[in-house]
Amino acid sequence: MTLNVYLAGEIHSDWRERIASGAEAAGLEIDFSSPVTDHGASDDVGVALLGDEAESFWKDHKGAGVNAIRTQTAIKRADLVVVRFGEKYKQWNAAFDAGYAAALGKPIVTLHPPEHEHALKEIDRAAMATAETPEQVVGILRYVIEGTLAG
Amino acid sequence: MTLNVYLAGEIHSDWRERIASGAEAAGLEIDFSSPVTDHGASDDVGVALLGDEAESFWKDHKGAGVNAIRTQTAIKRADLVVVRFGEKYKQWNAAFDAGYAAALGKPIVTLHPPEHEHALKEIDRAAMATAETPEQVVGILRYVIEGTLAG
Amino acid sequence: MTLNVYLAGEIHSDWRERIASGAEAAGLEIDFSSPVTDHGASDDVGVALLGDEAESFWKDHKGAGVNAIRTQTAIKRADLVVVRFGEKYKQWNAAFDAGYAAALGKPIVTLHPPEHEHALKEIDRAAMATAETPEQVVGILRYVIEGTLAG
Amino acid sequence: MTLNVYLAGEIHSDWRERIASGAEAAGLEIDFSSPVTDHGASDDVGVALLGDEAESFWKDHKGAGVNAIRTQTAIKRADLVVVRFGEKYKQWNAAFDAGYAAALGKPIVTLHPPEHEHALKEIDRAAMATAETPEQVVGILRYVIEGTLAG
Amino acid sequence: MTLNVYLAGEIHSDWRERIASGAEAAGLEIDFSSPVTDHGASDDVGVALLGDEAESFWKDHKGAGVNAIRTQTAIKRADLVVVRFGEKYKQWNAAFDAGYAAALGKPIVTLHPPEHEHALKEIDRAAMATAETPEQVVGILRYVIEGTLAG
Amino acid sequence: MTLNVYLAGEIHSDWRERIASGAEAAGLEIDFSSPVTDHGASDDVGVALLGDEAESFWKDHKGAGVNAIRTQTAIKRADLVVVRFGEKYKQWNAAFDAGYAAALGKPIVTLHPPEHEHALKEIDRAAMATAETPEQVVGILRYVIEGTLAG
Amino acid sequence: MTLNVYLAGEIHSDWRERIASGAEAAGLEIDFSSPVTDHGASDDVGVALLGDEAESFWKDHKGAGVNAIRTQTAIKRADLVVVRFGEKYKQWNAAFDAGYAAALGKPIVTLHPPEHEHALKEIDRAAMATAETPEQVVGILRYVIEGTLAG
Amino acid sequence: MTLNVYLAGEIHSDWRERIASGAEAAGLEIDFSSPVTDHGASDDVGVALLGDEAESFWKDHKGAGVNAIRTQTAIKRADLVVVRFGEKYKQWNAAFDAGYAAALGKPIVTLHPPEHEHALKEIDRAAMATAETPEQVVGILRYVIEGTLAG
């Protein structure tokens, strides 16, 4: 079984790379996708491509539209959505992506430190599993694809 | 046109009451629904009804399951979902509900102070309108139902 | 059989009234809905309710969002969508509503003068019937509901 | 990420070629599709293949049926639909395709000159982005696929 | 449990009346719907309402469009579809309605004489029950609604 | 909020009555539905209504078809599905109903004694809550509808 | 554009071969599928694989179940469904397949002699095109895939 | 026609191997998937990957979540679901998978000894075929893919 896996959420740590390299080391066939993780490009894409805006609200609006093409396409294609919440920031888009995935019936794995557990209880409840480390997510991916626990 | 409107998000201010009373004053036929806004009941419902848990994670999990029956049923029935983000707290469940509603194709109205605009840009982009006050939401409801702007 | 009928398109003639009064005269149980037909209100609703905009594009954008709550809700509820194209104007929103209805599997009746036939051929093809007068539409509604041709 | 992109709308200028060549120059993996852009073939296909018609309405009807097989199949397969409105003609089929794509939840990019903004406000509102040039559309495609802004 | 029941198929015998009167005698709350059973009206409705046609194919086409508004609306609303095949005629529209209902996941009851069993094997296989008499259908309706076998 | 609740599963104890009377005592507006709980009628309905069968497999097959009209209609209408597993019997139809409800996105509450926990782990995981007594289910229903814990 | 095309209906003439060889001669990339056209195998498959039946009704039922796995899978995969009605037989399964395809939103091309036009009017109305010869169907396929009329 | 086939249910006999080797011997192109059949791994996966649990209910819950990612993904991808019930154990997850597949409209083949017929009547009714041996299932797969009965 080959999987399409969307990696949603936090863009300020290397969790995506750790999952991808772990999956590669385990020899898993996975097609990973993600939002654009270059914060500057993600914020500026609307005005950079489609013309400047005087109001920051509309600058954000234009950018969010272009980003949504990428994220919604990737979530719709995904077999599994991993949603990461980091230590900082509001990360409302991560929670939005989780809700979007849940309504589409996509299985979700949440990834976050234990101190977020109470605040994330609704989202953890909608998930099939809650992990604390990227390596645990790799373990889940291996099990889902190969049916085996790591040796 | 009678509307089913789900009021998602923040539970620490009187915004739901202001929308409901404004809608009533305007004579609008609306069936409002909402999550349980009694914070204590919402947190405790799982263990209160189904037995205690030693681990806070599972206490939260049980409670979130029961709450999800109510919230998902209400969102599925809604014609329109209003999502409120207040000044404080993570409010990840509000963002999750917005994503859930978006994937179901429900029109969304966001309601939040201007300082959240950048952090909420993805969710505002998925919304049909962004309001700052409950009274603006009432104006939208009146227009949607009666086709008129307030006199 | 009671029908929900959405009357999409042109807002500069009395075709909606003629259909509604014809249906009433025929004793048909129909719940009609329509976009906001007050042109000024429809154009201004975004800024009137949610604050002024310097750019006409964003003024239109805000207004179109609020209007879409009404129109999409009404189309989703409709059993039948009548789409009227008048003599003048671009009327792209009428064609958009027709496409929206078609993809949802709603039966469509188009209503337009014969000179638009070639330009509207794709939309007429997606329709179950093409009428030239509101009275013909009433005849269709009567047949669909009562199973009889007018005496 | 490889994309299926449907290019709907105007058939009298070279905008499709400019998007396709721009995408190729940028090395993007895109599978483009479009309606039949040979105006004569598109108008005549029904009677050419299935026999003549005395009435122009039925000639159009037959042709539109065959064309709809192609366009609806392509829209259903598309990850993204670009809808172009040119300077001239009614172009109601472009607006119809936009509505069809919107109801299917496909992300839309509109492409048109600024003078159409007011007439297209409903469709622009349903779009994730509005561009004025084919090159801007290429920029969006590059960002969606590669996550980068042009150097 | 109140049921919406669509009675598809043959229009030359009194089977609909026998089911309706049997259901009424049993005190069942059922909202029956059916195609237009006035053969003449059904054949002529297109040209009677929308103007004459020189070609019988297009006369039929216009009429079938108007009839489809009624039949497809009724099937979509139905909880249960009864499809009757009589002794005579092709009755392809009955089989079409059965396929339409099957793809929508509607439970089907077929009603036909034993001599059609082999020719109808695909449709009987898609049905939840196959009856030979209208009275058997009433028995099924009673059981489905009240959970009891007739006394 | 009024709820449609389907009570699936075991038919040899009074758990349905206890839930219904508890809900009534609590003043909850609930429309309960259930499979036919008269074991004899449920087993015999196919041959009783539609004619005898020599083979028990086909007798069962005919009966199961008629029962499925009732159960599938009720599950599709339900907002919430309660699935009860008793102490005895295979009860595969209860598990089947749970899977059917899960794939339709219906929230599920399982009700069973603790000794079934391991054997039912997949179904409990697909449920929003797992109860041991009918009274706990009433507590959940009250909370979902009224948002309050019992006094 | 590569197409999946399901060829439903009559199995007593060479129309499938004429379409397939015409498509091949035209160099079209099409993946054709069809029901089992070996009449004997199709009738006997149930009892041949799963054991004999005393009653012809159940023999047919078993066979129709196995055949339905093939036909429904093929229709669900198809981009386009061609439905052929020959001169003889009831061919109710052809009409059933047409209804099934229509409810799934698959474009349909009907293929039949003119004398069936009146009896097939509902199905022709649900089709995008009606052809009289396999060669016309090839012409449609060429146009849909390549956008050109035969030279 | 290449098929995706999910093999659900019993994990204590070699029925999956017999189907797979029979399919291979017959030269059929089939992509088989299955739940994890290593009983120990399946039971322990939750705590092995995500940390120990004091309560067996939550140990099972964690494991069932990870297993559900695999099984639900595989069922959604499947063209056909074979559900095997063995001689022993409750096998409620097999019945759950059958219900899940049925609600998704997947064709089902059940495989079980005759003594389970009465207890499995609802599930057999939802299936397209009921087999007693893996070899019969291979016969069905051959017929569905190649349209031929074994020589």
Side-chain angles (χ1 to χ4, degrees), chain C residues 37-56:
Chain C
T37 57
D38 174 341
H39 198 157
S42 170
D43 270 7
D44 293 339
V45 62
V47 294
L49 293 177
L50 298 169
D52 219 2
E53 290 296 330
E55 303 283 341
S56 65

Side-chain angles (χ1 to χ4, degrees), chain C residues 20-124:
Chain C
S21 63
E24 193 176 27
L28 305 176
E29 277 189 82
I30 299 179
D31 189 355
F32 289 108
S33 60
S34 68
V36 172
T37 57
D38 174 341
H39 198 157
S42 170
D43 270 7
D44 293 339
V45 62
V47 294
L49 293 177
L50 298 169
D52 219 2
E53 290 296 330
E55 303 283 341
S56 65
F57 182 83
W58 296 119
K59 177 191 167 184
D60 282 344
H61 193 82
K62 277 171 118 169
V66 178
N67 280 299
I69 298 174
R70 180 174 166 109
T71 56
Q72 292 183 10
T73 302
I75 294 178
K76 283 179 194 156
R77 288 185 181 183
D79 298 302
L80 174 65
V81 176
V82 181
V83 188
R84 161 76 181 163
F85 293 86
E87 278 77 7
K88 293 186 293 186
Y89 305 105
K90 296 285 189 188
Q91 308 180 79
W92 281 323
N93 56 340
F96 180 85
D97 284 354
Y100 197 90
L104 296 179
K106 307 287 181 182
I108 295 167
V109 174
T110 49
L111 171 64
H112 59 78
E115 60 264 34
H116 284 339
E117 281 177 0
H118 186 65
L120 283 170
K121 63 183 183 296
E122 287 88 0
I123 301 179
D124 283 347

Side-chain angles (χ1 to χ4, degrees), chain A residues 1-4 79-80 104-109 125 128-132 136 139-140 143-150, chain H residues 33 36 38 40-45 48-51 61-70 72-74 76-77 100:
Chain A
M1 185 151 49
T2 310
L3 282 187
N4 289 309
D79 298 302
L80 174 64
L104 296 178
K106 307 287 181 183
I108 295 167
V109 173
R125 188 57 180 79
M128 288 297 189
T130 294
E132 291 181 27
Q136 288 178 318
I140 292 171
Y143 181 82
V144 168
I145 293 173
E146 302 197 337
T148 55
L149 296 171
Chain H
S33 60
V36 172
D38 174 341
S42 171
D43 269 8
D44 293 339
V45 62
L49 293 177
L50 299 168
H61 194 81
K62 276 171 119 170
V66 178
N67 279 299
I69 298 175
R70 180 174 166 109
Q72 292 183 11
T73 301
K76 283 180 194 156
R77 288 185 181 183
Y100 197 90

